[in-house]
Amino acid sequence: DAGVIQSPRHEVTEMGQEVTLRCKPISGHNSLFWYRQTMMRGLELLIYFNNNVPIDDSGMPEDRFSAKMPNASFSTLKIQPSEPRDSAVYFCASSFDGGNSYEQYFGPGTRLTVT
Amino acid sequence: GQSLEQPSEVTAVEGAIVQINCTYQTSGFYGLSWYQQHDGGAPTFLSYNALDGLEETGRFSSFLSRSDSYGYLLLQELQMKDSASYFCAGANNRKLIWGLGTSLAVNP
């Protein structure tokens, strides 16, 4: 298996622009998680989906952030408009409920820089 | 609230044993997970303790005591490649609540 795939790997954008991050989970996994990692705040869960349905979005910072999972093999995290404080590494992870559902497989991350 | 505490940094030498502690204050945790993250990389799963006691996987072992709200990761026969950040994470209804991580430096 190719593992969790994220794109782009790096994104540099100007404040106010829209940013869309993409994730393809591991085939057969039914839970998908979006995380943000910074030195100051560590690894924060933004939102997670189970069977394509958003279950918990309490970690989404504000209305500028939105996430979708239109099907089992694709999810997006959108920031509009972006701000410098959004600069971070964004990880997507997936897991399978039937096994150890707390064993999450992470993608390589998207390093976002907002100037 | 839900929080996990672990030391920010640990230093050890090759071949030694190191223990990284994690204490948590929360209700509803089903268990404790540990992840490793190398600089510039993604977190990778090491272990999950659903029950009290010690789980061993090769050079790494993980321990959980629910009554003490405490767990630890034990790394034996340390190698230079073990230099990384180690995160404990509390399991709660399919999601994980993460500690801030412990940076382990293994010196020759």
Side-chain angles (χ1 to χ4, degrees):
Chain A
D1 200 316
V4 176
I5 298 172
Q6 290 187 248
S7 64
R9 294 293 306 276
H10 301 273
E11 178 80 27
V12 179
T13 190
E14 293 184 348
M15 182 174 63
Q17 296 298 306
E18 177 179 297
V19 175
T20 299
L21 311 181
R22 297 172 176 78
C23 174
K24 176 179 169 54
I26 292 173
S27 177
H29 283 190
N30 57 350
S31 287
L32 183 140
F33 308 82
W34 281 103
Y35 290 95
R36 176 173 68 178
Q37 186 173 39
T38 61
M39 289 296 294
M40 292 299 295
R41 300 174 67 90
L43 200 60
E44 302 173 277
L45 176 66
L46 300 177
I47 185 171
Y48 85 91
F49 296 83
N50 184 253
N51 294 323
N52 313 338
V53 176
I55 302 299
D56 184 342
D57 65 354
S58 59
M60 295 287 262
E62 49 200 270
D63 292 346
R64 297 185 298 107
F65 285 67
S66 62
K68 294 182 179 180
M69 190 165 186
N71 57 62
S73 59
F74 184 66
S75 177
T76 59
L77 178 68
K78 185 176 295 186
I79 308 173
Q80 165 64 19
S82 58
E83 297 182 3
R85 59 187 167 133
D86 301 329
S87 296
V89 179
Y90 291 81
F91 288 104
C92 173
S94 68
S95 69
F96 173 57
D97 273 359
N100 173 6
S101 60
Y102 299 109
E103 180 174 354
Q104 297 181 6
Y105 293 78
F106 282 72
T110 296
R111 183 172 297 275
L112 174 66
T113 303
V114 183
T115 60
Chain B
Q2 298 177 327
S3 66
L4 296 95
E5 293 186 7
Q6 52 183 128
S8 59
E9 294 181 348
V10 173
T11 302
V13 296
E14 263 189 306
I17 299 172
V18 70
Q19 178 174 312
I20 299 174
N21 297 321
C22 175
T23 58
Y24 58 89
Q25 297 175 5
T26 188
S27 60
F29 269 11
Y30 299 145
L32 199 67
S33 276
W34 288 92
Y35 283 75
Q36 178 192 60
Q37 184 179 27
H38 285 98
D39 277 350
T44 57
F45 174 82
L46 291 177
S47 67
Y48 173 64
N49 291 66
L51 303 174
D52 285 1
L54 190 68
E55 296 273 346
E56 298 181 61
T57 306
R59 295 187 297 115
F60 293 2
S61 302
S62 56
F63 173 82
L64 176 64
S65 170
R66 292 172 178 276
S67 59
D68 296 323
S69 298
Y70 164 75
Y72 66 73
L73 180 69
L74 189 73
L75 298 86
Q76 302 181 75
E77 301 173 17
L78 281 173
Q79 302 175 9
M80 299 293 288
K81 67 177 181 179
D82 297 328
S83 293
S85 291
Y86 292 84
F87 295 86
C88 60
N92 184 332
N93 195 22
R94 290 200 194 96
K95 68 181 184 182
L96 293 170
I97 309 298
W98 297 75
L100 291 180
T102 299
S103 178
L104 170 64
V106 180
N107 297 319

Short mmCIF file of all heavy atoms in Angstrom, two decimals, chain B residues 21-48:
data_model
loop_
_atom_site.label_atom_id
_atom_site.label_comp_id
_atom_site.label_asym_id
_atom_site.label_seq_id
_atom_site.Cartn_x
_atom_site.Cartn_y
_atom_site.Cartn_z
N ASN B 21 8.22 9.20 30.81
CA ASN B 21 6.98 9.12 31.58
C ASN B 21 5.88 9.99 31.00
O ASN B 21 6.16 11.02 30.35
CB ASN B 21 7.25 9.54 33.03
CG ASN B 21 8.23 8.61 33.71
OD1 ASN B 21 8.20 7.41 33.52
ND2 ASN B 21 9.13 9.18 34.51
N CYS B 22 4.68 9.60 31.26
CA CYS B 22 3.51 10.36 30.80
C CYS B 22 2.43 10.27 31.87
O CYS B 22 2.03 9.17 32.26
CB CYS B 22 3.01 9.78 29.48
SG CYS B 22 1.49 10.53 28.84
N THR B 23 2.01 11.40 32.37
CA THR B 23 0.90 11.43 33.31
C THR B 23 -0.27 12.16 32.66
O THR B 23 -0.06 13.07 31.84
CB THR B 23 1.28 12.14 34.62
OG1 THR B 23 1.71 13.47 34.33
CG2 THR B 23 2.38 11.39 35.33
N TYR B 24 -1.46 11.72 32.99
CA TYR B 24 -2.60 12.34 32.34
C TYR B 24 -3.69 12.68 33.34
O TYR B 24 -3.81 12.05 34.40
CB TYR B 24 -3.13 11.47 31.21
CG TYR B 24 -3.56 10.08 31.60
CD1 TYR B 24 -4.85 9.81 32.03
CD2 TYR B 24 -2.66 9.02 31.50
CE1 TYR B 24 -5.24 8.52 32.36
CE2 TYR B 24 -3.05 7.73 31.83
CZ TYR B 24 -4.33 7.49 32.26
OH TYR B 24 -4.72 6.21 32.59
N GLN B 25 -4.42 13.71 32.99
CA GLN B 25 -5.56 14.14 33.80
C GLN B 25 -6.76 14.19 32.87
O GLN B 25 -6.89 15.10 32.05
CB GLN B 25 -5.30 15.52 34.40
CG GLN B 25 -4.12 15.54 35.36
CD GLN B 25 -3.81 16.94 35.87
OE1 GLN B 25 -4.52 17.88 35.56
NE2 GLN B 25 -2.74 17.07 36.63
N THR B 26 -7.56 13.19 32.98
CA THR B 26 -8.70 13.14 32.09
C THR B 26 -9.65 12.06 32.56
O THR B 26 -9.32 11.23 33.38
CB THR B 26 -8.26 12.82 30.66
OG1 THR B 26 -9.37 12.96 29.79
CG2 THR B 26 -7.74 11.40 30.55
N SER B 27 -10.84 12.10 32.03
CA SER B 27 -11.77 11.01 32.23
C SER B 27 -12.12 10.44 30.87
O SER B 27 -12.05 11.13 29.86
CB SER B 27 -13.03 11.53 32.92
OG SER B 27 -13.64 12.52 32.12
N GLY B 28 -12.46 9.20 30.86
CA GLY B 28 -12.90 8.63 29.59
C GLY B 28 -11.81 8.12 28.69
O GLY B 28 -12.07 7.78 27.55
N PHE B 29 -10.59 8.08 29.15
CA PHE B 29 -9.52 7.53 28.32
C PHE B 29 -9.65 6.00 28.29
O PHE B 29 -9.76 5.35 29.32
CB PHE B 29 -8.14 7.91 28.87
CG PHE B 29 -7.59 9.18 28.30
CD1 PHE B 29 -8.35 10.03 27.53
CD2 PHE B 29 -6.27 9.53 28.55
CE1 PHE B 29 -7.85 11.21 27.02
CE2 PHE B 29 -5.75 10.72 28.04
CZ PHE B 29 -6.53 11.55 27.28
N TYR B 30 -9.60 5.46 27.08
CA TYR B 30 -9.67 4.01 26.93
C TYR B 30 -8.30 3.38 27.05
O TYR B 30 -8.18 2.19 27.29
CB TYR B 30 -10.28 3.65 25.58
CG TYR B 30 -11.70 4.16 25.38
CD1 TYR B 30 -12.14 4.58 24.13
CD2 TYR B 30 -12.60 4.23 26.44
CE1 TYR B 30 -13.41 5.04 23.94
CE2 TYR B 30 -13.88 4.69 26.26
CZ TYR B 30 -14.29 5.09 25.00
OH TYR B 30 -15.57 5.57 24.83
N GLY B 31 -7.27 4.14 26.81
CA GLY B 31 -5.92 3.60 26.85
C GLY B 31 -4.92 4.66 26.47
O GLY B 31 -5.26 5.84 26.30
N LEU B 32 -3.67 4.25 26.34
CA LEU B 32 -2.58 5.18 26.06
C LEU B 32 -1.77 4.69 24.87
O LEU B 32 -1.37 3.52 24.83
CB LEU B 32 -1.68 5.31 27.30
CG LEU B 32 -0.77 6.53 27.38
CD1 LEU B 32 -1.59 7.81 27.53
CD2 LEU B 32 0.17 6.38 28.56
N SER B 33 -1.54 5.59 23.93
CA SER B 33 -0.72 5.27 22.75
C SER B 33 0.60 6.01 22.82
O SER B 33 0.72 7.05 23.47
CB SER B 33 -1.46 5.72 21.48
OG SER B 33 -2.38 4.76 21.04
N TRP B 34 1.59 5.47 22.12
CA TRP B 34 2.89 6.13 21.98
C TRP B 34 3.24 6.19 20.49
O TRP B 34 3.06 5.20 19.75
CB TRP B 34 3.97 5.36 22.73
CG TRP B 34 3.87 5.49 24.22
CD1 TRP B 34 3.21 4.67 25.07
CD2 TRP B 34 4.45 6.52 25.02
NE1 TRP B 34 3.33 5.12 26.36
CE2 TRP B 34 4.10 6.25 26.36
CE3 TRP B 34 5.25 7.64 24.75
CZ2 TRP B 34 4.51 7.06 27.43
CZ3 TRP B 34 5.66 8.44 25.80
CH2 TRP B 34 5.28 8.15 27.12
N TYR B 35 3.78 7.34 20.10
CA TYR B 35 4.20 7.57 18.72
C TYR B 35 5.61 8.14 18.72
O TYR B 35 6.02 8.85 19.65
CB TYR B 35 3.25 8.54 18.01
CG TYR B 35 1.93 7.94 17.59
CD1 TYR B 35 0.94 7.65 18.52
CD2 TYR B 35 1.69 7.63 16.25
CE1 TYR B 35 -0.25 7.08 18.13
CE2 TYR B 35 0.50 7.06 15.85
CZ TYR B 35 -0.47 6.79 16.80
OH TYR B 35 -1.66 6.22 16.41
N GLN B 36 6.32 7.85 17.64
CA GLN B 36 7.66 8.38 17.43
C GLN B 36 7.64 9.31 16.23
O GLN B 36 6.97 9.03 15.23
CB GLN B 36 8.63 7.22 17.15
CG GLN B 36 10.06 7.63 16.87
CD GLN B 36 10.89 6.45 16.32
OE1 GLN B 36 10.57 5.89 15.28
NE2 GLN B 36 11.93 6.07 17.04
N GLN B 37 8.36 10.41 16.33
CA GLN B 37 8.45 11.32 15.19
C GLN B 37 9.88 11.82 15.05
O GLN B 37 10.41 12.48 15.94
CB GLN B 37 7.50 12.51 15.37
CG GLN B 37 7.48 13.45 14.15
CD GLN B 37 6.51 14.61 14.34
OE1 GLN B 37 6.24 15.04 15.44
NE2 GLN B 37 5.99 15.13 13.23
N HIS B 38 10.50 11.51 13.91
CA HIS B 38 11.82 12.05 13.60
C HIS B 38 11.66 13.44 13.02
O HIS B 38 10.62 13.78 12.46
CB HIS B 38 12.55 11.14 12.61
CG HIS B 38 13.07 9.88 13.23
ND1 HIS B 38 12.40 8.68 13.13
CD2 HIS B 38 14.17 9.64 13.96
CE1 HIS B 38 13.08 7.75 13.78
NE2 HIS B 38 14.17 8.30 14.31
N ASP B 39 12.71 14.24 13.16
CA ASP B 39 12.70 15.61 12.64
C ASP B 39 12.32 15.62 11.17
O ASP B 39 12.92 14.89 10.36
CB ASP B 39 14.07 16.26 12.80
CG ASP B 39 14.27 16.83 14.19
OD1 ASP B 39 13.29 16.88 14.95
OD2 ASP B 39 15.41 17.22 14.51
N GLY B 40 11.33 16.41 10.84
CA GLY B 40 10.90 16.53 9.45
C GLY B 40 10.00 15.40 8.98
O GLY B 40 9.58 15.39 7.82
N GLY B 41 9.73 14.45 9.87
CA GLY B 41 8.91 13.31 9.48
C GLY B 41 7.52 13.35 10.08
O GLY B 41 7.14 14.33 10.73
N ALA B 42 6.80 12.29 9.89
CA ALA B 42 5.45 12.16 10.41
C ALA B 42 5.46 11.24 11.64
O ALA B 42 6.35 10.39 11.77
CB ALA B 42 4.52 11.59 9.35
N PRO B 43 4.51 11.41 12.54
CA PRO B 43 4.42 10.48 13.67
C PRO B 43 4.17 9.06 13.18
O PRO B 43 3.40 8.84 12.24
CB PRO B 43 3.22 11.01 14.46
CG PRO B 43 3.09 12.45 14.07
CD PRO B 43 3.51 12.48 12.63
N THR B 44 4.82 8.11 13.83
CA THR B 44 4.58 6.70 13.52
C THR B 44 4.22 5.97 14.81
O THR B 44 4.80 6.23 15.87
CB THR B 44 5.80 6.03 12.85
OG1 THR B 44 6.92 6.18 13.71
CG2 THR B 44 6.11 6.63 11.52
N PHE B 45 3.29 5.06 14.69
CA PHE B 45 2.76 4.33 15.83
C PHE B 45 3.80 3.39 16.43
O PHE B 45 4.51 2.68 15.71
CB PHE B 45 1.54 3.53 15.37
CG PHE B 45 0.97 2.61 16.41
CD1 PHE B 45 0.11 3.09 17.37
CD2 PHE B 45 1.28 1.26 16.41
CE1 PHE B 45 -0.44 2.25 18.32
CE2 PHE B 45 0.75 0.41 17.35
CZ PHE B 45 -0.12 0.90 18.31
N LEU B 46 3.89 3.42 17.77
CA LEU B 46 4.78 2.49 18.48
C LEU B 46 3.99 1.45 19.26
O LEU B 46 4.29 0.25 19.20
CB LEU B 46 5.70 3.25 19.45
CG LEU B 46 6.77 4.14 18.84
CD1 LEU B 46 7.52 4.88 19.96
CD2 LEU B 46 7.72 3.35 17.98
N SER B 47 3.01 1.91 20.05
CA SER B 47 2.30 0.96 20.91
C SER B 47 0.99 1.56 21.38
O SER B 47 0.77 2.78 21.32
CB SER B 47 3.16 0.60 22.12
OG SER B 47 3.32 1.73 22.97
N TYR B 48 0.13 0.67 21.86
CA TYR B 48 -1.13 1.07 22.47
C TYR B 48 -1.40 0.15 23.65
O TYR B 48 -1.42 -1.07 23.48
CB TYR B 48 -2.27 1.01 21.47
CG TYR B 48 -3.64 1.26 22.08
CD1 TYR B 48 -3.94 2.50 22.64
CD2 TYR B 48 -4.62 0.28 22.09
CE1 TYR B 48 -5.17 2.74 23.21
CE2 TYR B 48 -5.86 0.52 22.66
CZ TYR B 48 -6.14 1.75 23.21
OH TYR B 48 -7.37 2.00 23.77
#
